[in-house]
Amino acid sequence: MEEYFEMQFIFYMVMVGITGLMVGSFLNVCIYRLPRGRSIVAPGSACPECGHPLAWWENIPLLSWAILRGRCRSCKIWITPRYFLVEILSGAAACLLFWEFGGNLVQFIYYYIFFCLLVIVFFIDLEHWIIPDSINLIGVIAGITGGFFIPFGFSKPVPFFFPEGGLSSIGGAVAGYIFFGMIAVTASLLLRQEAMGYGDVKFAALIGAFLGFSIKLPVGFILAFFIGGLFSIPFLLIGKKRSKEPIPFGTFMAIGAFIALMWGEKLFTWYKHLSGGVF
Ligand SMILES: [Zn+2]
């Protein structure tokens, strides 16, 4: 009997992983097209260089990129490994989130949507230094709407409609917006130039809507500053990056938010223990 459940679980994991790879394929389309103002539904995928339309077998997650050795079949141009990376990440994250939240299918889907939005922002901000308004808007609406049906931090069965969760989402979104808004205003007054984009402020609201008004939210934001700092210092030291150049802060916020979603409470407990309960 136990073995039967184990087999069933492995089967679900494989199916979830494969679905994640296919979702990753779509996320690649969003990452490439959204900042260029193109439709994400039509036309079908094509080579960005020569426009060669991809046949179905050139569009299989992971496999196609590996078989074609990262080159376009027609013009042989080098296709960025980002395609491969996004697909791998999306498959792995689907398994990880299913492992953590799979007991509640709605919760699993909710957090997977959150992951998808984070991946899109991670790569677009890294390359273009912008966060599309459409993503922030869809994210805040999805995060708050879903919040009403997602039992935050409850493992026992709860009613389908869950006002506490929705209020927590609204609280998180408002808190994120105000917190980053204040940082943006303060920083621009001190530095006399725009130090943090308005896109980052709206993205903070998106993260707050999904993480809710919980300890995960400040943990995610602190991690973003910490990781951003770690990445910026070496560049500043070797002088490759002038300090006035913007850093893709949304990219670091996305990393911080995902870590906080998965391990935020554990990190906070660990930190409390380290600091001896002082903070
Ligand atoms: Zn081509």
Side-chain angles (χ1 to χ4, degrees), residues 8 15 56 60 100 110 149 160 174 180 185 187 225 242:
Q8 201 180 30
M15 293 313 285
W56 66 269
I60 304 167
E100 189 76 19
Y110 180 67
F149 304 94
F160 177 66
V174 172
F180 270 82
V185 170
F225 283 105
R242 282 163 293 128

Side-chain angles (χ1 to χ4, degrees), residues 47 50 72 75:
C47 167
C50 69
C72 167
C75 69

Side-chain angles (χ1 to χ4, degrees), residues 204-218:
L206 182 161
I207 292 172
F210 277 93
L211 291 183
F213 197 76
S214 70
I215 194 61
K216 289 181 176 186
L217 190 58

Side-chain angles (χ1 to χ4, degrees), residues 47-52 72-77 79:
C47 167
E49 186 66 23
C50 69
H52 156 71
C72 167
R73 188 163 63 99
S74 175
C75 69
K76 307 289 177 209
I77 196 166
I79 307 283

Side-chain angles (χ1 to χ4, degrees), residues 47-48 65 69-72 76-83:
C47 167
W65 198 88
R69 293 202 188 83
R71 285 177 188 280
C72 167
K76 307 289 177 209
I77 196 166
W78 174 251
I79 307 283
T80 163
R82 184 187 69 222
Y83 286 90

